[in-house]
Amino acid sequence: MTGATGTTGATGATGVTGMTGATGVTGNGLTGATGPTGATGTTGATGPLVAGTAGQTLRYDGTNWVANSLLFNDGTNIGIGTTLAPSQKLEVLGTIKVSGTDLYGFYADKNMGSSQGYGGFFKCTNTLNNAYGVYGEADYTGASNPSYTYGGYFRSSSTTQDGYGVYSYANRSTSTATTFASGVTGYGEISGTNGTSYGLQGYAYGGQTAYGVYGYASGATTNWAGYFTGNVNVTGTIAIQGGAPGVGKVLTSDATGIASWQDNSTVISSFQPLGCQNLASVTTSYQKIADMGTFNKNSSNTFIELNLQTFLTVNTFGTGCVAVIYELRVDGLATTNGNATALMRTASTYAPVSITGVFSGLATGSHTVSLWAKGVNGTATSAYYDPGCFNGIGTNNVLVKEYK
């Protein structure tokens, strides 16, 4: 017979966990029945959505939300006061007023990398009156005394490209004698009798060449890079490089005030005239003894001074003749500035003479010098210059001086 079961001994240590068995088949029980619907919650406040048209925005009028077209939003651009879809990120139809104590009322910062960009682009179209792309006005009403007030302040900075603090362009497609297009117009006014006003003030500093104001004009019938009505005051040096300047030249005005560079230096030349020339029969009217030679005139508005050095003689005086007059002429014409004459009162005498005359109004180019003679109160015979034919040893000479 089996004896009675003894008392259970103490629990032994837990053995090592065995391998996990394979996953059993997943059950697929039926979905339970849908539970009952809960009670309806409290209705929320009415939202602001109201009827409107495309692009309109909401505005609270103090009582209700209403659709409004003052601010137009087409999903890409914003328009203020526009009647059509705006063409830029922000388009304003009307006036913008900026106030406050900030340093900048309007600040634009545009970074375009390597392409062209504008920190601000302003355009005004007006079919009836003046149009201003930018109009700036600065009023200071404080008690202190600031250095400056700026209606507009523009600055350009670049390390690699040309810079324009202000670039202005004006175009008028139709024109009359009184219309104009002004890229920049300056106006300065001071109330009272003290101080200095500047319609336009330019300042340049640094670089190889600095221009406080640089003007360029072309393409018109008359081109003025600078035009001034009033006095012009220059402190410093004036350089006028147009019109062929040169050493010793002088800026000279014509009758209309147009100036040009003129050579005011005196040009002296000479020639030896044909010698041993004779007028056989001398009458009481001037007749030419001979053409003596030619000279060349360089400028149109200069004087020519001629000086003839020679010997004269008259063979005989006729009845009543008291003298023979010799006259120096250019192109057959006597001078209109005094005279250029010498008087022989004694016959058969060799007289050394010097005849000088000043001629004006001669054109540029070649001119012929000649000597003429006539009797006073009668006739004479054989009026000579260079009698004896000593021309070969230099007894005859015509000195030509051109000057202003």
Side-chain angles (χ1 to χ4, degrees):
M1 291 188 61
T2 303
T5 302
T7 303
T8 301
T11 303
T14 302
V16 178
T17 303
M19 297 287 293
T20 303
T23 305
V25 179
T26 304
N28 189 17
L30 297 175
T31 302
T34 302
T37 301
T40 301
T42 305
T43 302
T46 303
L49 297 180
V50 296
T53 59
Q56 286 187 313
T57 54
L58 293 178
R59 185 182 75 86
Y60 189 68
D61 64 5
T63 304
N64 300 303
W65 288 96
V66 295
N68 186 267
S69 297
L70 179 63
L71 186 65
F72 192 98
N73 183 350
D74 65 0
T76 302
N77 299 325
I78 299 294
I80 299 177
T82 60
T83 57
L84 300 174
S87 60
Q88 305 296 327
K89 291 298 181 182
L90 176 61
E91 182 176 335
V92 178
L93 178 62
T95 301
I96 297 176
K97 179 179 179 181
V98 181
S99 61
T101 58
D102 294 335
L103 179 61
Y104 303 101
F106 174 82
Y107 181 87
D109 187 352
K110 182 73 170 178
N111 186 352
M112 294 296 294
S114 61
S115 61
Q116 180 171 302
Y118 302 92
F121 180 87
F122 304 90
K123 179 181 179 181
C124 179
T125 301
N126 193 329
T127 60
L128 298 177
N129 211 321
N130 298 331
Y132 302 91
V134 175
Y135 181 89
E137 182 176 314
D139 295 320
Y140 181 78
T141 59
S144 62
N145 187 19
S147 298
Y148 306 99
T149 57
Y150 300 94
Y153 182 88
F154 305 90
R155 180 177 180 270
S156 174
S157 177
S158 175
T159 57
T160 59
Q161 300 295 324
D162 296 336
Y164 300 91
V166 174
Y167 181 88
S168 178
Y169 172 77
N171 176 58
R172 177 155 183 167
S173 58
T174 59
S175 64
T176 65
T178 59
T179 58
F180 69 93
S182 176
V184 175
T185 298
Y187 177 76
E189 180 182 11
I190 292 179
S191 299
T193 58
N194 297 318
T196 303
S197 59
Y198 300 90
L200 179 65
Q201 184 181 34
Y203 175 78
Y205 175 78
Q208 182 177 0
T209 304
Y211 301 95
V213 175
Y214 181 89
Y216 174 80
S218 67
T221 304
T222 302
N223 299 289
W224 302 103
Y227 186 91
F228 306 91
T229 300
N231 299 326
V232 178
N233 187 330
V234 177
T235 301
T237 302
I238 296 179
I240 303 176
Q241 298 176 338
V247 176
K249 288 188 175 181
V250 177
L251 197 64
T252 305
S253 172
D254 64 9
T256 63
I258 303 299
S260 61
W261 288 111
Q262 300 295 327
D263 189 353
N264 274 5
S265 59
T266 299
V267 179
I268 298 177
S269 62
S270 65
F271 64 87
Q272 189 177 65
L274 181 65
C276 198
Q277 297 299 303
N278 171 39
L279 177 63
S281 178
V282 181
T283 67
T284 55
S285 298
Y286 275 114
Q287 300 175 84
K288 183 167 64 174
I289 300 175
D291 288 332
M292 309 186 80
T294 62
F295 68 90
N296 191 68
K297 190 169 184 285
N298 299 302
S299 301
S300 61
N301 58 345
T302 54
F303 294 95
I304 294 293
E305 181 180 308
L306 298 178
N307 178 257
L308 168 64
Q309 300 171 15
T310 189
F311 282 84
L312 301 178
T313 189
V314 178
N315 192 13
T316 61
F317 289 162
T319 302
C321 183
V322 296
V324 170
I325 301 175
Y326 290 80
E327 184 174 63
L328 198 62
R329 295 188 176 188
V330 174
D331 299 332
L333 300 175
T335 179
T336 57
N337 302 297
N339 56 60
T341 58
L343 185 69
M344 288 293 295
R345 299 191 62 182
T346 304
S348 301
T349 301
Y350 286 17
V353 297
S354 176
I355 302 176
T356 300
V358 176
F359 296 80
S360 58
L362 300 178
T364 58
S366 180
H367 297 275
T368 301
V369 179
S370 56
L371 191 63
W372 298 57
K374 74 172 183 177
V376 179
N377 297 332
T379 61
T381 62
S382 298
Y384 272 94
Y385 78 82
D386 185 35
C389 304
F390 296 110
N391 193 53
I393 61 174
T395 57
N396 299 318
N397 184 66
V398 176
L399 185 69
V400 182
K401 181 166 68 173
E402 182 177 356
Y403 65 95
K404 292 185 178 180

